[in-house]
Amino acid sequence: MIELKNISKTYRMGDIKVPALKNASFRIDDGEFIAIMGPSGSGKSTLLNVLGCLDVPTRGQYLFDGINVGEFSESQLARIRNEKIGFVFQTFNLLPRLNALSNVELPLIYSGNHNKRKETAASALQAVNLEDRAHHRPRELSGGQQQRAAIARALVNEPSIILADEPTGNLDSKSGQEIMSILTQLNKDGITIVLITHDDSVASYAQRIIRLKDGEIVEDQKASAMEEISQASVPARNEKKRRRFSLAELTESLTMALSSIFSNKLRSFLTMLGIIVGVGAVIAMIGIGQGAGAQITERISELGANLLMVRPGASQRGPARSARGSITSLTYEDAQAIAQWCTSVARVDAEYSRNAQVVYGNSNTNTSINGVTPNYPQVRNFPVELGSFLTEEDNRFMRRVAVLGKTVVGELFGEENPIGEYIKIKRSIFQVIGVMSEKGSSGWRDEDDIVFVPLKTAQKRLFGVDHVSAINVEAKNEDVMENASAEIREGEEEDFNIRSQAEILSMVEETSQTFTMLLAGIAVVSLIVGGIGIMNIMFVSVTERTREIGIRKAIGAQRRDILSQFLIEAIIVSLAGGIIGVFSGILASKLMSQFGGWETVITPISVALSFSFALAVGLFFGFYPARKASLLNPIDALRYE
């Protein structure tokens, strides 16, 4: 089965070379029971590690079933450890988070054997008389029971050889005898046994004793009572099928990752916290940005898509143009001319606005006073709710009448009906003839905090001006918007600029998208910080579980198994944090909308984007620690304390 030819192993400690094995050569036949003995530091454990493909020799050839394993890759060595070799360690090396049955199942998982796996593991436990403790964790088992569970794990894949490192070293004499009886029986059943011991009574069970001293074989003798082993007594070993990826394998990786996460609940939650905050912040910030944009867009759209706004001042910026523009360039007569001569125009309204104090009884408020024409409600899509709006006669005769917005009504009158009451605007008395419908807020501006008076009344009686702030033009339909704009400009010096609702809407949407992306970018920083937290915790986890990694590799785990396990852990933590973060972000958005007055819009795209980013963070920041874990040398990992 095994042949060693001039095997040497030298360890390097800084600049110092320490030889552990020197030119060891011997053969092991099928069915032998061999004890390797020697004082501490003689190279026993190093020899066993080389035999078990946990360590590679510095020099020499190691033939297993006639094949030179020195030419094998890491995955091929892992396959040999899994299928042909069973390990029994002095310190048992059972995974503390798994019960006895799950510990025994591990080699089956790494071999890709998913058929009746639990039944096979239970049979292995039954073979060592431990079936009644199958669902107990290692800390709930005695030393002898833990060692029997370790033997069952070594047996479960029907190996060719069992390597036992001081299998009775941590046991009392009675438990030690039980373990040796089990190993003897396994040898009688045809399994090759190689054990390390310093106890002559344990070595007496062996048929052959190899003694080491200072890394060299000084004695290799067969016991006098040893019988020749016929090949007929050695059971034929079935060739294992090549391992292939399966859904069951992924399920096992998920199960092991979840087990690891739930065994450190607080740390796992704290690791998720960065992702939770990041995802929640992204969703909340995008929700606020999109909500603000949607609210402004809605307000603009309510005015109508066929509205043109004429404002004083040149349409182009720069010294040459701005010098020509004037803030007093528009008049009421300009509005009348547009209405008379522009065939594409349906209605025109001119307005002049300025803030002033309004008083009623003992109440007063500072609000916007808008002088407008009777066309204002139709042009600006702002209807009257109570009473009536201003008329052409009110404007022509400069009557002191006013129509109030809802906010002004609340400030001055409370629940009282204001129709017919008198208010003071800049010490002039005005009669309230109407109340506008509720318009709501548009960003930071309250559209209902306003008082409407006739345009000429505002110009002559209140503010003493002869110009207007703006002219609002309603085109007959959306198709003639460009014609209407061209007609307004025709024959006139362009000391004004014209903006359509479509242009304003496009500008607002672009600004809203920029604002949203800015907020999202700020929130993404939280996700990146959360990802760095995942990386740090995964590094800590790899360090803490280095010995566990060594155990898994010793029983056949390949690099991809370790990589996938730790990577899946990082992804699960990220996804769990992402799910909680999504709900947290939606909840935060709703609370801000309810208590802060901010309208928020949560879209499936923002949720999917945040969730995908959380997944990417887990994948990116979890890969390097997982790869580091997968590249650990099994023997170095087993020795790690």
Side-chain angles (χ1 to χ4, degrees):
M1 177 189 291
I2 288 175
E3 184 176 1
L4 272 63
K5 296 180 179 180
N6 299 317
I7 292 293
S8 296
K9 178 66 180 178
T10 302
Y11 295 103
R12 184 179 292 274
M13 302 176 66
D15 295 331
I16 302 173
K17 295 181 179 180
V18 180
L21 280 179
K22 303 173 184 175
N23 298 317
S25 299
F26 61 89
R27 292 181 58 184
I28 299 175
D29 294 323
D30 282 341
E32 281 198 276
F33 191 150
I34 298 175
I36 299 175
M37 300 187 70
S40 296
S42 60
K44 303 188 303 296
S45 295
T46 300
L47 179 57
L48 197 72
N49 292 333
V50 171
L51 290 173
C53 298
L54 291 172
D55 207 354
V56 293
T58 307
R59 188 173 63 253
Q61 275 192 324
Y62 173 22
L63 304 178
F64 196 108
D65 286 342
I67 301 172
N68 184 6
V69 299
E71 299 173 355
F72 280 13
S73 65
E74 172 64 27
S75 296
Q76 290 172 316
L77 291 175
R79 188 179 176 194
I80 287 180
R81 291 194 296 267
N82 179 258
E83 297 178 356
K84 297 180 179 294
I85 301 172
F87 287 95
V88 179
F89 300 96
Q90 179 181 358
T91 53
F92 321 129
N93 281 346
L94 299 175
L95 299 186
R97 290 192 298 271
L98 304 180
N99 59 33
L101 183 64
S102 297
N103 267 284
V104 175
E105 280 186 80
L106 281 176
L108 295 171
I109 294 171
Y110 295 134
S111 68
N113 184 356
H114 304 294
N115 296 323
K116 298 182 178 180
R117 194 177 62 238
K118 289 192 179 297
E119 292 84 345
T120 305
S123 298
L125 284 172
Q126 188 175 8
V128 295
N129 300 318
L130 200 64
E131 65 272 18
D132 58 328
R133 309 291 287 177
H135 299 288
H136 290 71
R137 293 192 177 186
R139 65 173 180 269
E140 299 167 337
L141 303 176
S142 67
Q145 290 171 333
Q146 290 187 60
Q147 194 63 291
R148 279 191 275 162
I151 293 174
R153 182 179 63 189
L155 286 173
V156 74
N157 260 341
E158 300 178 359
S160 309
I161 183 172
I162 289 180
L163 304 179
D165 185 2
E166 297 279 7
T168 63
N170 288 336
L171 305 178
D172 58 69
S173 58
K174 181 180 178 182
S175 298
Q177 290 175 2
E178 291 177 353
I179 296 303
M180 292 311 302
S181 297
I182 292 173
L183 292 176
T184 302
Q185 184 58 49
L186 292 173
N187 180 246
K188 289 180 180 178
D189 293 338
I191 295 178
T192 304
I193 308 290
V194 177
L195 65 84
I196 287 178
T197 184
H198 63 277
D199 190 338
D200 289 329
S201 63
V202 173
S204 65
Y205 287 87
Q207 302 155 344
R208 178 181 171 192
I209 298 175
I210 296 176
R211 295 184 186 274
L212 293 178
K213 184 178 180 181
D214 297 330
E216 295 181 303
I217 298 176
V218 297
E219 185 179 351
D220 184 353
Q221 66 174 13
K222 295 182 179 180
S224 58
M226 178 183 176
E227 299 176 358
E228 289 295 326
I229 303 165
S230 66
Q231 289 299 316
S233 66
V234 179
R237 295 187 297 273
N238 296 325
E239 284 295 322
K240 306 290 194 303
K241 292 182 179 179
R242 188 173 183 82
R243 179 181 174 187
R244 297 182 184 277
F245 177 81
S246 67
L247 183 60
E249 185 177 328
L250 177 61
T251 303
E252 291 301 331
S253 296
L254 286 170
T255 302
M256 288 187 286
L258 288 171
S259 174
S260 174
I261 291 170
F262 281 106
S263 65
N264 295 285
K265 297 182 183 67
L266 180 59
R267 187 172 72 184
S268 298
F269 175 75
L270 292 176
T271 306
M272 292 178 194
L273 200 56
I275 301 297
I276 293 171
V277 172
V279 171
V282 169
I283 290 177
M285 293 299 99
I286 291 178
I288 290 173
Q290 290 186 334
Q295 192 174 23
I296 295 171
T297 301
E298 181 183 358
R299 296 299 179 195
I300 294 174
S301 299
E302 285 177 355
L303 299 178
N306 56 339
L307 178 64
L308 294 172
M309 287 166 286
V310 183
R311 297 286 185 269
S315 58
Q316 298 181 10
R317 294 183 179 180
R321 299 293 298 174
S322 60
R324 295 173 56 190
S326 171
I327 61 169
T328 61
S329 59
L330 294 179
T331 64
Y332 179 55
E333 288 71 22
D334 291 330
Q336 290 177 315
I338 291 172
Q340 181 178 359
W341 298 107
C342 297
T343 58
S344 301
V345 171
R347 296 183 186 89
V348 177
D349 167 67
E351 64 173 290
Y352 180 84
S353 62
R354 188 185 292 183
N355 279 10
Q357 189 177 51
V358 181
V359 179
Y360 173 74
N362 295 325
S363 302
N364 67 86
T365 183
N366 194 285
T367 186
S368 175
I369 309 299
N370 271 32
V372 296
T373 67
N375 287 336
Y376 183 88
Q378 291 78 27
V379 173
R380 298 301 296 268
N381 194 23
F382 195 177
V384 176
E385 185 176 284
L386 295 175
S388 60
F389 198 71
L390 310 171
T391 64
E392 187 59 44
E393 287 76 16
D394 294 333
N395 187 45
R396 186 183 311 120
F397 296 115
M398 294 184 287
R399 289 173 181 168
R400 289 179 290 183
V401 290
V403 180
L404 309 183
K406 281 291 184 68
T407 299
V408 177
V409 172
E411 292 283 344
L412 299 181
F413 295 93
E415 299 296 326
E416 183 181 347
N417 187 351
I419 303 298
E421 300 294 335
Y422 291 88
I423 60 174
K424 284 185 179 181
I425 304 175
K426 292 190 67 175
R427 298 188 179 89
S428 295
I429 297 176
F430 284 73
Q431 185 179 25
V432 178
I433 63 171
V435 175
M436 304 300 290
S437 59
E438 187 170 358
K439 194 79 168 177
S441 298
S442 177
W444 61 88
R445 181 182 174 186
D446 185 357
E447 298 285 349
D448 298 316
D449 190 9
I450 195 167
V451 174
F452 295 102
V453 299
L455 174 61
K456 289 189 175 181
T457 304
Q459 288 177 317
K460 305 300 182 183
R461 291 183 179 272
L462 291 178
F463 303 117
V465 298
D466 57 4
H467 61 274
V468 297
S469 303
I471 298 175
N472 301 309
V473 179
E474 181 187 355
K476 290 183 177 179
N477 54 61
E478 294 180 35
D479 298 332
V480 298
M481 293 281 287
E482 292 186 6
N483 290 340
S485 179
E487 288 174 352
I488 294 170
R489 288 192 173 94
E490 187 176 352
E492 297 288 341
E493 183 182 4
E494 286 194 34
D495 55 356
F496 57 87
N497 64 83
I498 303 174
R499 299 294 295 272
S500 69
Q501 284 294 92
E503 291 175 347
I504 295 175
L505 192 59
S506 175
M507 182 182 67
V508 167
E509 287 176 349
E510 289 178 7
T511 305
S512 174
Q513 289 176 359
T514 303
F515 177 65
T516 300
M517 294 306 296
L518 175 63
L519 292 177
I522 294 171
V524 163
V525 174
S526 300
L527 269 177
I528 295 174
V529 172
I532 294 172
I534 288 179
M535 179 182 282
N536 289 337
I537 294 299
M538 291 304 296
F539 273 128
V540 171
S541 181
V542 169
T543 302
E544 288 181 348
R545 295 162 60 188
T546 298
R547 189 171 179 83
E548 175 189 329
I549 294 168
I551 295 170
R552 291 181 182 274
K553 286 200 165 190
I555 59 179
Q558 298 181 17
R559 285 180 178 175
R560 70 173 186 178
D561 298 309
I562 305 299
L563 177 68
S564 63
Q565 181 183 346
F566 281 89
L567 190 57
I568 286 172
E569 283 184 34
I571 291 174
I572 289 175
V573 168
S574 293
L575 290 182
I579 292 171
I580 299 173
V582 166
F583 287 107
S584 300
I586 293 173
L587 178 61
S589 299
K590 298 298 181 185
L591 291 176
M592 281 188 283
S593 178
Q594 184 173 353
F595 296 106
W598 285 88
E599 182 178 343
T600 56
V601 177
I602 305 298
T603 62
I605 294 177
S606 66
V607 173
L609 179 66
S610 303
F611 196 73
S612 300
F613 202 87
L615 174 62
V617 163
L619 190 63
F620 180 80
F621 287 100
F623 179 79
Y624 183 67
R627 184 174 181 273
K628 180 183 176 183
S630 70
L631 294 176
L632 285 174
N633 186 290
I635 191 60
D636 293 335
L638 281 170
R639 289 171 177 166
Y640 182 83
E641 293 295 340

